[in-house]
Amino acid sequence: MAQSWSGELLHIHIAPAASYEMEELAEARLIAGKGIEGDRYFLGTGTYSPKPDVRDVTLIETEVLEQLAAGEPKMPGIKLDLAPGDHRRNLTTRGVPLNHLVGQRFRIGETVLRGARLNFPCKYIEELLGMPRLFDGLLNRSGLNCAIEVGGIIRPGDRIVPMES
Amino acid sequence: MASPRLIMKMKVASLRSEAGDVSVVEFRHPRRPQLPPFEAGSHVDIHMPGGKVRQYSLMGDPADLSRYLIGVKREEAGRGGSAWLHANLKVGDELAVSAPRNHFRLHNEAQAHLLLGGGIGITPMIAMARALKAQGKAFVLHFFARSRMMAPMLADLETELPADHLVLHFDDDPATVVDLAELLKEQKDGTHLYYCGPPGFMAWARASSTHWKPDTVHFEAFQPEEDPNFVPQAFTIQLRSTGQELNVPADTSALTMLRAAGVLLFSSCENGVCGSCECGFVTGEPIHRDAVLSPEAKTRRFISCVSRAKGRIVLDL
């Protein structure tokens, strides 16, 4: 695939265990095949850790958060202010077409990720944040679960670019 | 399933010693100026090193969301949570504190509220009295303690509450001693009763209020009442969604077996007081051993960390 887009990493968030508030990092270490050092899915302490899946690292587009904050699309018109630390995905991106990256490889800084499956929203986060309708608001735009193929250090501001898959 | 609650790493902003070996801890959030809201009667979970989780009532003003205030009595004979907090907590420390949950809310439909706080059980009553006073509701708070010297937060209460809203009972002052059976003898129309305190006080209040209408009596226990004669028996759980059957051995909790079967249930105190692991039951005869569920809730809900069942129970999972 020719390089057709280029994005940026805006925020990195981790939580030490299920239900813990997310913490923002200025730098994170990605470990191939495992996750982000210190995150609940790296440590096996996440809500869904007992269930087999790929969730080394999860990503969401800041564009989705902006649309939600603006109440777009007008139908169904769900308007919610979801701060980058509240959505419980690890990485917030700009300019990255996450829904098109299942099975695709891409770089963030020195690391390489592979899109594994589209993320699906959960009622758990709706209850945790006390935000009814968040589940509906994130349907079909809840981000991407990725495997880490090449680990390394990432920082906000890193470029995100596609690779030949 | 009970709601999960956000767990926040909060800073100890101040510590204050109160009578009766009580420490008042003020928590603030390093980044959030506004904390998740709470109502009078709410508690938070405090997560301590080593996996201990303990529940403490919020005693601050529900209108002030810049901080959470708890009162911790040092219990030498307790399970170690309060002793750890008293021995180790310093201003500036960070501790994991959950968003509040309320099993002990004020009932707005009541025409009057009768609040009974025994010893450290005064903490939820302080928030309740403040809320009722702010709303201009009819209430009286009875505070039971061994002595004036042992009564925590008394100075604040005496400053804030008019004399006809605060009645003090000290074991060492015969003029103030009252029998709960006498105090609760008559239930005035529309009055709701709320009580909280150590196990002996809870048993006394329960025994003295058996003739009250069940939906007008509310309490919060620090721990479920122990029945020394209870002998756990094995039983069977069936999951309503899949039909799967789980055998719960006599020495194992329902929660443990549910988790082993891959059922996603939250838990916190695992002692029958916080309600995190609550779920519904459809048929069967539960043996309720918790201190959370109201008599009405006991007809359809189940606390899986401590409660058991006779024979087979079908859980709404």
Side-chain angles (χ1 to χ4, degrees), chain A residues 15-20 38-50 124:
Chain A
S19 304
Y20 272 72
D39 185 56
R40 70 260 198 227
Y41 288 107
F42 173 82
L43 299 166
T45 54
T47 304
Y48 300 106
S49 289
Y124 166 75

Side-chain angles (χ1 to χ4, degrees), chain A residues 50-128:
Chain A
K51 297 192 187 289
D53 198 350
V54 177
R55 54 172 80 82
D56 294 357
V57 55
T58 55
L59 291 76
I60 195 166
E61 300 177 13
T62 197
E63 291 87 345
V64 167
L65 307 183
E66 289 165 0
Q67 291 275 298
L68 260 180
E72 294 287 349
K74 289 281 182 279
M75 182 62 72
I78 295 166
K79 190 170 179 178
L80 290 169
D81 273 315
L82 197 59
D86 285 341
H87 53 58
R88 303 194 77 74
R89 308 289 173 258
N90 296 121
L91 309 182
T92 309
T93 65
R94 180 179 294 288
V96 183
L98 292 178
N99 278 15
H100 296 259
L101 297 180
V102 174
Q104 306 290 313
R105 297 162 76 229
F106 56 97
R107 257 182 220 291
I108 302 182
E110 64 188 47
T111 69
V112 176
L113 305 189
R114 178 175 46 79
R117 70 164 174 91
L118 293 182
N119 191 288
F120 196 77
C122 52
K123 290 282 183 187
Y124 166 75
I125 182 177
E126 192 173 272
E127 293 189 26
L128 189 66

Side-chain angles (χ1 to χ4, degrees), chain B residues 105-139:
Chain B
R105 56 175 46 84
L106 288 165
H107 289 250
N108 287 327
E109 71 276 18
Q111 287 161 32
H113 304 261
L114 184 56
L115 314 178
L116 312 180
I120 190 61
I122 194 66
T123 50
M125 302 303 170
I126 295 174
M128 286 182 163
R130 282 179 175 149
L132 291 168
K133 187 182 165 208
Q135 294 162 27
K137 297 275 177 65
F139 74 96

